[in-house]
């Protein structure tokens, strides 16, 4: 008798259908990961360096302070309009002149200076005034002048007296003076003035400066046979002023 295929028991089913999960729910969606290069191409967050930030702020502060300083300085300059004082030699004389060998000089000089303060708001004080008398580059005599104070738009005068008594001088000085006396009947001297100068407006005092005054080619008429006195030739001479 033939057996009925339906009578055979079927083997148990293992696993789950593809469309269902246990308890009848579908399987969770699959997790998709981006390719490796995706992370390399993403922009990374930027965190500034604290030292760099501090340095930039310091540089910016210095630039701002510098601009403010020069702005204030320029405004003050426009308001005050500072000008250097003006110097002139109005008279110059030589007396008791005697140049003997070996290289000895005796003489007295007197110079009168005119000083004008052209500033409208700045007052000027001159301290430690030192005057020098030279023949070309050789210093023959030096003297000091009392301090001087000038108000605005003020014109002042002061004298400087020089003296040499049997003073030793270089040989080229003797030859040069003798040649000037024999050829031109005149001798030219140079005057130098140095002072510590202060400017003041109201109660404000500006930084003090070192003032230099150069008066070159101050000539006196003196012949080869004259040993007494000689006077300044020409009109008053303007001096160069450096501060």
């Amino acid at each position: 008798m033939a057996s009925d295929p339906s009578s055979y028991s079927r083997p148990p089913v293992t696993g789950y259908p593809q469309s269902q999960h246990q308890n009848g729910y579908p399987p969770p969606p699959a997790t998709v990961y981006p390719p490796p290069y995706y992370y390399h191409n993403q922009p990374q967050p930027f965190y500034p360096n604290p030292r760099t930030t501090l340095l930039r702020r310091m540089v910016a502060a210095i630039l701002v302070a510098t601009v403010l300083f020069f702005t204030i300085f320029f405004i003050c300059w426009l308001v005050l309009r500072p000008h250097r004082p003006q110097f002139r030699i109005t008279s110059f004389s030589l007396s008791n002149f005697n140049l003997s060998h070996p290289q000895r000089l005796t003489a007295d000089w007197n110079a009168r200076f005119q000083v004008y303060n052209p500033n409208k708001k700045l007052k000027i004080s001159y301290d430690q005034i030192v005057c020098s008398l030279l023949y070309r580059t050789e210093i023959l005599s030096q003297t000091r002048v009392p301090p001087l104070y000038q108000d605005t738009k003020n014109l002042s005068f002061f004298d400087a007296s020089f003296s040499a008594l049997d003073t030793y001088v270089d040989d080229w000085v003797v030859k040069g003076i003798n040649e000037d006396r024999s050829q031109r009947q005149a001798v030219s001297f140079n005057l130098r003035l140095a002072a510590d100068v202060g400017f003041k407006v109201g109660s404000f005092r500006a930084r003090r400066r070192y003032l230099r005054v150069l008066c070159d080619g101050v000539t006196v008429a003196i012949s080869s046979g004259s040993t007494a006195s000689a006077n300044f030739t020409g009109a008053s001479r303007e001096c160069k002023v450096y501060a």
Side-chain angles (χ1 to χ4, degrees):
M1 178 174 180
S3 60
D4 185 4
S6 59
S7 61
Y8 292 102
S9 61
R10 296 180 179 180
V13 179
T14 60
Y16 299 95
Q18 296 181 358
S19 61
Q20 292 185 351
H21 191 52
Q22 61 182 352
N23 298 327
Y25 292 99
T31 302
V32 179
Y33 295 95
Y37 65 85
Y38 175 81
Y39 296 100
H40 297 285
N41 296 334
Q42 292 298 312
Q44 301 297 321
F46 174 75
Y47 300 99
N49 190 333
R51 293 184 178 180
T52 304
T53 303
L54 178 61
L55 180 61
R56 290 178 179 176
R57 291 178 179 177
M58 291 179 60
V59 172
I62 293 174
L63 290 177
V64 171
T66 303
V67 172
L68 289 176
F69 171 79
F70 281 103
T71 301
I72 295 173
F73 178 82
F74 181 69
I75 293 175
C76 293
W77 182 85
L78 288 178
V79 173
L80 300 178
R81 290 297 181 96
H83 297 282
R84 289 190 293 262
Q86 301 171 3
F87 281 75
R88 300 184 69 92
I89 290 186
T90 59
S91 66
F92 183 74
S93 62
L94 170 66
S95 60
N96 302 322
F97 181 80
N98 185 21
L99 184 62
S100 60
H101 293 285
Q103 303 169 241
R104 297 291 176 176
L105 173 65
T106 297
D108 294 315
W109 299 265
N110 186 269
R112 167 158 286 195
F113 291 89
Q114 171 188 297
V115 189
Y116 177 63
N117 177 14
N119 295 287
K120 297 180 179 180
K121 298 182 179 181
L122 288 175
K123 302 175 183 179
I124 307 178
S125 61
Y126 307 84
D127 297 309
Q128 302 178 8
I129 306 175
V130 178
C131 297
S132 303
L133 185 137
L134 303 84
Y135 176 77
R136 299 179 185 175
T137 58
E138 178 80 3
I139 298 178
L140 304 180
S141 178
Q142 282 187 327
T143 187
R144 294 193 63 178
V145 178
L148 176 67
Y149 177 79
Q150 278 193 305
D151 206 338
T152 58
K153 292 291 184 178
N154 177 260
L155 182 65
S156 303
F157 296 87
F158 68 90
D159 294 329
S161 298
F162 306 90
S163 180
L165 180 60
D166 200 29
T167 303
Y168 173 83
V169 293
D170 289 336
D171 182 62
W172 67 267
V173 175
V174 177
K175 293 180 179 179
I177 292 178
N178 287 332
E179 288 178 0
D180 293 339
R181 294 172 64 186
S182 61
Q183 297 176 5
R184 301 191 298 121
Q185 286 75 50
V187 180
S188 296
F189 298 93
N190 300 325
L191 293 170
R192 299 286 186 268
L193 185 146
D196 182 25
V197 177
F199 296 89
K200 180 181 178 182
V201 52
S203 59
F204 173 75
R205 295 180 181 272
R207 180 177 61 88
R208 302 190 68 87
R209 296 186 179 182
Y210 182 73
L211 186 76
R212 293 182 301 137
V213 181
L214 280 63
C215 307
D216 293 337
V218 183
T219 305
V220 292
I222 177 172
S223 62
S224 58
S226 174
T227 58
S229 62
N231 293 319
F232 180 47
T233 60
S236 63
R237 180 178 297 274
E238 185 176 1
C239 304
K240 297 179 180 179
V241 180
Y242 301 92

